[in-house]
Amino acid sequence: MLAVVVHAPGDLRVQEVPDPVPAPDEVLLRMSFGGICGSDIAYWRSGISGTAVLKDPLILGHEVSGTIEAVGADALAAVEAAGLGIGSAVTVHPATLVGQYRMPAEIADRTNLWPQVRYFGSAAFDPHEQGGFSTLRAVRPDQLRAAPAGVTLEHAALAEPFAVALHAVARAGDVSGRSVLVNGAGPIGALAVAAARLHGADRVVAADLSPAALEIARAMGADGTVDVGAGAALPADVDVAIEASGAPRALGGVVAAVRRGGVLVQVGNLPAGEVQASLGGIVTREIEYRGSYRFVDEISGALEAMAGGLDVSPLITHMVPLDRAVEGFEIAADRSTGSSKVLIDLR
């Protein structure tokens, strides 16, 4: 089968790899679409994503959709219980909890905080966890999430990043009737705009350096936008800020935009190691600064929202076939292209 494989920094190839041989308790998927994420780009550019360092060739991709191709004998009961069968359209929860661990009672349901997690397309473990940018992929039945009627396979591939955005908004608490600033209008930021609207925010403003990104944020439900690149100022005294840019230099301005006693959620991945950022206002304004990491099972909520009419199509700016995946990565990595979510057609 064909797969998108990173071998080393700058060395990304579409190549033939052996077909997966699913175990009796696994399901074989024929992959349909995959969304290129910032972590995929990081492995391609530097061989490092966060604290994970590439050691061996790695099939990338964790934002994926596909159809069920075959079901192992020991997986059949679970698949049927979920109302699925051969040909069913699905997306995949890309996480696998590793090892035995007793979570503290107050966070027992927050499985995204499990100490060790294997994730599709991640080099965090050795051997690496291969991703889903391939023709076929074997998965456990509990990782499958059915694409509801009316949700296309293209849109189902966006359920994973939408889940990240939903989790970030949930980390802010109840946003109904509140003002929300989303700083950074890349794919996660634009989806955070949609998530805030979905949860009843009164006014949502998106800020970014890119006019193209701000246009997408408006299409995803932003009431207003701030072109930081043109020198526009962030709004003042917002109840909640979702920081989705991951740029340390932006933090001071975002902190200053949050009202006293407000909430700032950090979902954009900050650089590994020490960073310089102006954070004094967190103390003097008593702002609650909360982290947001991946998601628990908001991927199911993402699919439900899409089925309920939430349109994620404005986010999809480019589509490339599998044999041109490297070109897709180049587009996704270059903001001057006006790209937001670049999908790879894996069929």
Side-chain angles (χ1 to χ4, degrees):
M1 69 175 183
L2 285 178
V4 182
V5 184
V6 61
H7 289 257
D11 185 1
L12 183 68
R13 312 174 198 173
V14 178
Q15 65 182 76
E16 289 282 349
V17 299
D19 287 358
V21 179
D25 61 350
E26 290 184 320
V27 176
L28 183 66
L29 299 183
R30 183 163 293 277
M31 308 309 295
S32 297
F33 295 94
I36 299 173
C37 175
S39 63
D40 299 316
I41 294 171
Y43 281 124
W44 165 49
R45 282 181 156 176
S46 67
I48 300 172
S49 178
T51 58
V53 180
L54 187 71
K55 298 182 177 67
D56 300 298
L58 173 67
I59 299 174
L60 295 173
H62 56 269
E63 304 175 4
V64 293
S65 65
T67 57
I68 295 177
E69 179 85 356
V71 179
D74 295 342
L76 185 58
V79 170
E80 290 179 342
L84 300 172
I86 302 299
S88 293
V90 297
T91 187
V92 179
H93 194 311
T96 298
L97 307 186
V98 177
Q100 299 296 318
Y101 182 74
R102 179 172 292 179
M103 296 276 279
E106 62 271 22
I107 60 169
D109 59 343
R110 293 163 68 179
T111 52
N112 61 314
L113 300 182
W114 194 263
Q116 293 185 307
V117 178
R118 298 188 73 95
Y119 213 77
F120 267 35
S122 170
F125 282 80
D126 191 9
H128 300 336
E129 182 73 9
Q130 301 301 315
F133 289 172
S134 53
T135 306
L136 301 166
R137 180 61 156 87
V139 302
R140 300 187 317 277
D142 64 278
Q143 293 181 281
L144 300 175
R145 300 294 184 274
V151 177
T152 67
L153 283 164
E154 293 96 322
H155 290 179
L158 299 185
E160 195 274 354
F162 192 14
V164 172
L166 286 167
H167 185 74
V169 171
R171 290 284 295 138
D174 184 4
V175 300
S176 61
R178 297 179 179 273
S179 57
V180 176
L181 166 65
V182 177
N183 189 65
I188 296 298
L191 288 166
V193 167
R197 301 295 314 176
L198 183 68
H199 286 284
D202 178 63
R203 178 171 174 79
V204 182
V205 175
D208 201 280
L209 297 166
S210 165
L214 293 175
E215 183 177 346
I216 292 169
R218 284 191 290 271
M220 295 302 294
D223 298 293
T225 56
V226 177
D227 188 343
V228 180
L234 296 178
D237 293 328
V238 298
D239 297 310
V240 171
I242 307 293
E243 207 302 297
S245 76
R249 64 187 180 192
L251 281 172
V254 176
V255 168
V258 179
R259 68 164 171 80
R260 297 177 186 275
V263 175
L264 169 55
V265 176
Q266 184 69 48
V267 64
N269 284 327
L270 294 168
E274 296 182 1
V275 297
Q276 288 188 329
S278 299
L279 300 178
I282 289 176
V283 176
T284 60
R285 300 168 69 83
E286 286 198 355
I287 291 167
E288 296 185 45
Y289 188 24
R290 303 174 183 173
S292 182
Y293 183 59
R294 292 178 179 165
F295 56 93
V296 181
D297 196 36
E298 288 89 346
I299 193 167
S300 298
L303 291 166
E304 291 171 5
M306 293 180 201
L310 196 152
D311 184 12
V312 295
S313 59
L315 205 69
I316 303 172
T317 56
H318 297 78
M319 179 90 70
V320 297
L322 178 54
D323 60 0
R324 289 171 47 203
V326 176
E327 178 185 340
F329 270 71
E330 292 168 348
I331 294 169
D334 183 359
R335 294 203 81 187
S336 71
T337 62
S339 67
S340 185
K341 182 56 64 179
V342 179
L343 288 186
I344 303 172
D345 189 336
L346 301 166
R347 297 172 297 179

